[in-house]
């Protein structure tokens, strides 16, 4: 029963902690084009709440079934948890990258024609890969935070629960 309480706490706490880390001044300048704290604390609160809503959605929809599967297969470990969380994070961009667009749509990002006449270009696939790596890294950090809360450190939890 104790292990289930730790898992619940990890599912509740890991998403907002991950979002808070990536909205901090250290990572904020990397992830956002402007300084997220230019407008003060109030300007980042909407980003925090939106980020938490997305992170909890991914944790419930994809993370919870993955947790149950890893426990059922008895392969839950720090490295497996981090890898699965990275894959879950990258899945956000993967799903949006193959979403069908309008045939007349053209999009350009940073001088790169990402989509031309509804078709993703090679530059567009490279942009998608970079976005997947970034969101995968965010997912990996979330998986690490989850594991540290869940297992009370790096060690594997006891199998008695």
């Amino acid at each position: 029963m104790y292990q289930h309480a730790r898992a619940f706490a990890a599912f509740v706490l890991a998403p907002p902690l991950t979002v808070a880390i990536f909205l901090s001044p250290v990572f904020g300048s990397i992830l956002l084009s402007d300084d997220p704290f230019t407008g003060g604390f109030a300007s980042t609160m909407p980003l925090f709440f939106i980020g938490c809503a997305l992170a909890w959605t991914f944790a419930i929809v994809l993370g919870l079934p993955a947790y149950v599967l890893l426990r059922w297969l008895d392969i839950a470990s720090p490295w497996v948890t981090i890898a699965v969380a990275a894959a879950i994070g990258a899945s956000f961009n993967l799903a949006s990258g193959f979403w069908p667009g309008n045939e007349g749509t053209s999009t350009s990002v940073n001088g790169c024609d990402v989509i031309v006449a509804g078709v993703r270009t090679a530059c567009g696939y490279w942009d998608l890969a970079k976005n997947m790596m970034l969101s995968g890294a965010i997912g990996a950090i979330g998986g690490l935070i989850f594991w540290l809360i869940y297992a009370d450190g790096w060690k594997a939890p006891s199998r008695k629960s």
Side-chain angles (χ1 to χ4, degrees), residues 11 35 37 45 47-49 63 84 105 121 131 135 138 144 146:
F11 272 108
D35 182 16
F37 292 95
M45 290 312 293
L47 291 175
F48 178 76
F49 290 125
V84 168
T105 304
T121 64
N131 290 335
S135 60
I138 294 170
L144 174 64
F146 173 87

Side-chain angles (χ1 to χ4, degrees), residues 9-96:
F11 272 108
V12 170
L13 295 174
L17 288 173
T18 305
V19 172
I21 287 171
F22 281 94
L23 286 180
S24 70
V26 174
F27 292 105
S29 62
I30 297 169
L31 297 176
L32 304 171
S33 58
D34 309 25
D35 182 16
F37 292 95
T38 303
F41 183 71
S43 67
T44 59
M45 290 312 293
L47 291 175
F48 178 76
F49 290 125
I50 291 168
C52 285
L54 283 172
W56 274 318
T57 301
F58 274 82
I60 291 169
V61 173
L62 298 173
L64 186 60
Y67 164 77
V68 171
L69 182 64
L70 292 176
R71 291 281 295 178
W72 183 69
L73 293 173
D74 199 26
I75 59 172
S77 73
W79 295 111
V80 172
T81 302
I82 291 169
V84 168
I88 289 171
S91 71
F92 175 74
N93 288 101
L94 182 64
S96 65

